[in-house]
Amino acid sequence: MIPGVNPKQMKQMMKKLGMKMETIEDVERVVVYTKSGNYVFDNAEVVATVMQGMTTYQINGEPRFEEAEAVIPEDDVKLVAEQAGVSEDEAKAALTEAKGDIAEAILKLSE
């Protein structure tokens, strides 16, 4: 809120401007999905603000980041296994550790 402004007056001003704020109750978890991983907010406070027909959500809390697991195509597994002279299981494990980087996986297996 704005310093020096009575919260009751603030609500009245927001109402005159057509703004409405509402805290969403009983939020257990909020997850923001990205290509590199997920931002997870446990026990977050979520406030929805409606203004001019558009709803905006504000998340308050401390997120933790969970890295996304790399999706390893079978063609990559076969290529690494062939190039490094190892089994497909070993190739897949190396690719997973290298987060899908074919060259890095082959180098690790060739050491």
Side-chain angles (χ1 to χ4, degrees), residues 5 14 16 33 37 54 64 71 76 87 92-93 95 98 100 105 111:
V5 177
M14 289 173 61
K16 284 182 183 179
Y33 297 94
M54 180 175 270
R64 69 176 191 282
V71 177
D76 291 357
S87 71
K92 186 167 186 164
L95 278 164
E111 291 177 344

Side-chain angles (χ1 to χ4, degrees), residues 32-79:
V32 178
Y33 297 94
T34 69
K35 288 183 180 180
S36 59
N38 305 324
Y39 292 91
V40 180
F41 295 80
D42 291 312
N43 300 318
E45 179 184 319
V46 180
V47 177
T49 304
V50 180
M51 184 172 171
Q52 297 178 347
M54 180 175 270
T55 305
T56 303
Y57 296 91
Q58 178 179 334
I59 304 168
N60 296 315
E62 194 65 38
R64 69 176 191 282
F65 185 75
E66 296 178 349
E67 283 192 37
E69 290 189 28
V71 177
I72 312 295
E74 279 301 310
D75 289 344
D76 291 357
V77 173
K78 289 177 183 176
L79 176 65

